[in-house]
Amino acid sequence: MVRHVHSARGAHTTRNILLLVLGVLVVLGAVGGFCAWRFYQQAMDVRDHELAAVEAVSGLQDVSQLRDADTMNAAIEQAQVHASAAKEIADGALWRVASYVPVLGDDVTAVRGMVDVVDGMVGETLPSLASTVQTLMNSGLSGGGEGQLNLQPIADAQDGFAKANELVQQQADAINALPQPHIGVVRSAYEQGKEQINKVADMLDQVSGMVQAMPKLLGQDGPRTYLLVAQTTSEQRSGGGLVGSLGTMQVDNGNISVGDFHSNKEFVPLGESATAEEHDVFSGPLSFSFDVRDLFAVPDFSRTAEMLNTVWQRSEYACDIDGVIAIDPLFIQEMVRINGDITLDNGQVLTGDNTAEFMLNGIYKAFDPDTQDVYFEYVASAVMDGAFSNMTMDKMMQIAQAMGTLAEGRHFYAYTFHEDEAEYFQGAGFAKNAPDSETDPEVGIYMNEQNASKLGWYLHRSSTVTRTACNEDGSQAYHVTFSITNTLTSDEMAGATTYILGGAQPGVDGIVAPSGTSAQRMLFYAPAGGSITNLTASGDVRDQENKTMDGKNLITNVAYIAPGKTVTFDFDVTASAKAESDLRLDQTPAGWLDENVTYNTSACSLK
């Protein structure tokens, strides 16, 4: 009997414990469900605030809004409201706890990190930048003499731009280093925010770089003479195009004068200045003479500048030069857009939309070669005269952003032979070389037209750079696809001269490739400290070899691209374990700004 009573009591006790545990679980489930629902609501609020904050400042990617004080301040104030609201939510206890939950924690960390970046940017960096810009915009650039620029306000603004740029680059690095979110809606918001912040960072980096360089470029430290080089990418060379003319520009503390340009015909007889190694890369049935026209075939502008100086010193115009400035038709078009239209003596008006097409294609259809040279030299001289005359702060800001973008795309170079000024020129990215940075990796793909022609206008490119792996040693693996299409149509061929189309090319199996076929000597450079493997090609590509030039290894081959045909290259890239940024593609400039490169880094994130 006693045993039965004790059994009954035990059963009741067990039942009560089970009921109690069940009750606690129900309560915890309810609490958990409430917390999950509350967290979801807050996550949507944070997302909306962050996107609104980023959207408010996204317009600052355009320098026109950067230099408009009212627009900039209104954008910052609106962004601050949303950034503060998002930060108040994300700093709450619920979010701190959620950051430790497996899988979900990465998403929470990414969102909280993004909130901190945006809050810091709109709360500190952009207001500081706005103050610097407004002080600069309220200053005068009129100097003591006629046409002289007052460089002091620009010099006074340098520290403010440099500090703001340093902060925004740190903030961009911070958001780029956040873990990749798993949840679709979180990942979408994060990617949008990251894209916009990186664009603002790129813009500010360009403008700040030019603000640092402008006083040096315009003779703040005394008289400077620059060799001016005009080139045409309608006949491509690795770092630009065929050199058309040379001249000089003198500057002295804001006083600027542009001398006459002289046709390449005056310099061709002066011979070549290339090394045996450089000749070897461009040897074979389609070789360069390496007179003045071919000097951009070397993708290191430091080397190109040296060779250009050698040619200039051999000429009747020889004088000491302090550096080299090189421009192409797209640079000229952007300066026309900023300075105003140019009317030629035949009545044709060159604008910010049609100048590049005229200089890269139309001029060859309308005029004989001698007349082409006259127009090239006139337009180039007019643009360089106009770029720095009648300077206002508004105009300077536009030129600063344009030059940064153009230098990145190899449409503009500024190189100094003064070592103490190099950080403001080549050190600031205004004189690109083939890939030479392990921390900021690039893969170089360079084209060299070896069919004497003006086919570059018709060659359109498309590329994809896809990250495929993040390795344990910190390096990243990528796959690159690079395509070139000859868009020349039969109608265009019928209306073009051999000056544009070039001659027929030796074909495969005795079949001659027709006039209008581009013959491109291709150069492929791996990132510094990295490698290229598994390079394959579809289309008519021949004679692939490994070479060394100017201390760097490369792969070279020759691609023949007939009208309507495409050549595609595929290869794998491994970047250095020291890389601190995603792989970028550096390539020969075309006649337009859009390089048509798609980057996909979704596979993994930099460590």
Side-chain angles (χ1 to χ4, degrees):
M1 174 68 75
V2 174
R3 190 182 302 118
H4 174 74
V5 170
H6 281 285
S7 291
R9 287 178 178 173
H12 286 300
T13 301
T14 302
R15 180 192 63 191
N16 291 337
I17 291 173
L18 289 173
L19 289 174
L20 178 61
V21 170
L22 181 60
V24 170
L25 290 174
V26 169
V27 170
L28 288 176
V31 172
F34 172 78
C35 288
W37 173 246
R38 180 62 178 154
F39 181 78
Y40 174 79
Q41 288 181 314
Q42 289 185 0
M44 295 300 99
D45 289 342
V46 169
R47 180 201 64 181
D48 293 343
H49 283 304
E50 283 297 284
L51 291 179
V54 170
E55 179 63 27
V57 298
S58 63
L60 300 181
Q61 301 163 21
D62 184 348
V63 75
S64 65
Q65 292 200 31
L66 185 65
R67 65 182 191 267
D68 184 331
D70 292 338
T71 300
M72 186 174 183
N73 285 330
I76 292 172
E77 288 175 7
Q78 183 181 357
Q80 285 173 338
V81 171
H82 289 290
S84 295
K87 185 167 177 58
E88 184 177 355
I89 296 171
D91 281 347
L94 184 59
W95 284 69
R96 290 196 298 271
V97 172
S99 65
Y100 293 100
V101 177
V103 181
L104 176 65
D106 283 347
D107 293 64
V108 174
T109 299
V111 172
R112 296 185 74 201
M114 179 178 170
V115 167
D116 287 341
V117 167
V118 174
D119 186 66
M121 179 177 285
V122 304
E124 178 184 4
T125 306
L126 293 183
S128 172
L129 175 64
S131 176
T132 299
V133 170
Q134 288 162 27
T135 300
L136 181 59
M137 297 301 289
N138 292 331
S139 303
L141 284 182
S142 297
E146 183 178 352
Q148 182 181 6
L149 299 181
N150 177 16
L151 301 178
Q152 194 58 48
I154 305 173
D156 291 342
Q158 288 176 328
D159 282 348
F161 272 98
K163 289 176 182 176
N165 186 46
E166 182 180 4
L167 284 174
V168 82
Q169 300 309 322
Q170 290 173 355
Q171 288 156 346
D173 289 343
I175 198 169
N176 291 335
L178 293 171
Q180 186 79 14
H182 302 88
I183 301 171
V185 66
V186 178
R187 184 167 59 250
S188 176
Y190 166 76
E191 291 294 342
Q192 290 180 59
K194 183 172 76 168
E195 179 182 9
Q196 299 295 344
I197 287 170
N198 277 294
K199 286 182 178 179
V200 172
D202 288 344
M203 179 280 300
L204 183 54
D205 194 46
Q206 291 170 355
V207 173
S208 178
M210 202 61 207
V211 168
Q212 311 307 318
M214 187 79 78
K216 300 289 185 182
L217 178 67
L218 300 182
Q220 181 187 45
D221 295 335
R224 297 287 185 268
T225 298
Y226 298 105
L227 180 62
L228 283 181
V229 184
Q231 47 169 323
T232 173
T233 53
S234 59
E235 189 165 348
Q236 292 122 327
R237 300 293 183 263
S238 292
L242 180 138
V243 173
S245 55
L246 303 175
T248 56
M249 181 173 80
Q250 287 78 36
V251 300
D252 183 8
N253 197 31
N255 281 305
I256 303 152
S257 63
V258 177
D260 294 332
F261 277 82
H262 309 282
S263 170
N264 61 20
K265 294 175 183 177
E266 299 185 52
F267 301 94
V268 167
L270 301 180
E272 54 84 15
S273 53
T275 65
E277 195 175 59
E278 289 160 348
H279 274 294
D280 179 58
V281 169
F282 294 95
S283 64
L286 303 166
S287 59
F288 283 156
S289 62
F290 267 106
D291 60 42
V292 68
R293 295 168 297 181
D294 299 328
L295 299 186
F296 279 84
V298 176
D300 289 334
F301 190 73
S302 56
R303 173 70 180 129
T304 302
E306 178 186 326
M307 290 190 287
L308 286 165
N309 187 28
T310 298
V311 170
W312 182 255
Q313 300 308 331
R314 291 174 181 166
S315 75
E316 62 181 286
Y317 312 108
C319 63
D320 290 338
I321 61 172
D322 298 283
V324 180
I325 294 174
I327 61 176
D328 74 359
L330 194 62
F331 171 90
I332 292 173
Q333 176 171 284
E334 291 303 302
M335 293 304 104
V336 171
R337 188 190 309 279
I338 294 169
N339 298 318
D341 298 347
I342 294 176
T343 302
L344 303 179
D345 58 8
N346 66 348
Q348 182 166 356
V349 179
L350 301 184
T351 71
D353 296 315
N354 69 6
T355 299
E357 182 173 6
F358 171 74
M359 298 186 74
L360 290 170
N361 187 243
I363 194 171
Y364 302 118
K365 298 177 179 178
F367 304 105
D368 62 71
D370 289 338
T371 308
Q372 292 165 16
D373 291 341
V374 172
Y375 278 116
F376 262 117
E377 292 159 20
Y378 170 74
V379 174
S381 180
V383 160
M384 292 307 294
D385 272 325
F388 300 105
S389 64
N390 302 315
M391 183 69 79
T392 64
M393 285 297 178
D394 182 74
K395 179 177 174 180
M396 191 212 75
M397 293 290 285
Q398 293 184 67
I399 289 176
Q401 184 179 27
M403 284 185 171
T405 301
L406 291 163
E408 178 64 24
R410 290 182 174 264
H411 303 284
F412 166 75
Y413 294 93
Y415 186 92
T416 180
F417 294 122
H418 293 267
E419 291 185 7
D420 59 334
E421 296 181 358
E423 66 176 298
Y424 303 104
F425 290 76
Q426 49 266 40
F430 296 111
K432 294 193 74 170
N433 287 334
D436 55 11
S437 171
E438 291 193 59
T439 56
D440 297 305
E442 292 183 312
V443 58
I445 305 179
Y446 308 112
M447 301 166 59
N448 294 272
E449 180 61 76
Q450 297 193 300
N451 179 6
S453 65
K454 297 296 180 285
L455 291 170
W457 181 254
Y458 301 99
L459 298 181
H460 288 220
R461 296 167 247 168
S462 63
S463 310
T464 59
V465 178
T466 304
R467 183 152 57 214
T468 56
C470 296
N471 302 318
E472 288 299 320
D473 64 355
S475 64
Q476 299 87 46
Y478 297 83
H479 185 79
V480 177
T481 300
F482 183 86
S483 295
I484 310 168
T485 299
N486 187 338
T487 64
L488 191 64
T489 66
S490 55
D491 288 343
E492 288 168 329
M493 289 183 67
T497 65
T498 54
Y499 193 82
I500 295 175
L501 300 176
Q505 296 300 306
V508 179
D509 298 329
I511 301 173
V512 176
S515 177
T517 297
S518 175
Q520 292 288 341
R521 167 66 69 177
M522 304 295 302
L523 310 182
F524 298 85
Y525 284 76
S531 62
I532 288 177
T533 55
N534 305 320
L535 176 58
T536 62
S538 64
D540 188 357
V541 178
R542 313 175 207 170
D543 305 325
Q544 185 161 299
E545 295 180 281
N546 294 312
K547 297 278 188 177
T548 300
M549 183 168 68
D550 300 324
K552 297 176 181 177
N553 297 324
L554 63 120
I555 301 172
T556 182
N557 52 41
V558 181
Y560 293 84
I561 315 160
K565 299 297 184 181
T566 297
V567 163
T568 299
F569 299 94
D570 279 281
F571 55 93
D572 296 317
V573 176
T574 300
S576 167
K578 298 178 183 177
E580 298 174 359
S581 60
D582 299 329
L583 181 71
R584 308 297 291 181
L585 172 60
D586 180 42
Q587 60 180 312
T588 299
W592 38 86
L593 276 177
D594 184 5
E595 296 183 333
N596 199 18
V597 183
T598 300
Y599 293 96
N600 181 355
T601 59
S602 61
C604 55
S605 298
L606 286 170
K607 293 183 179 179

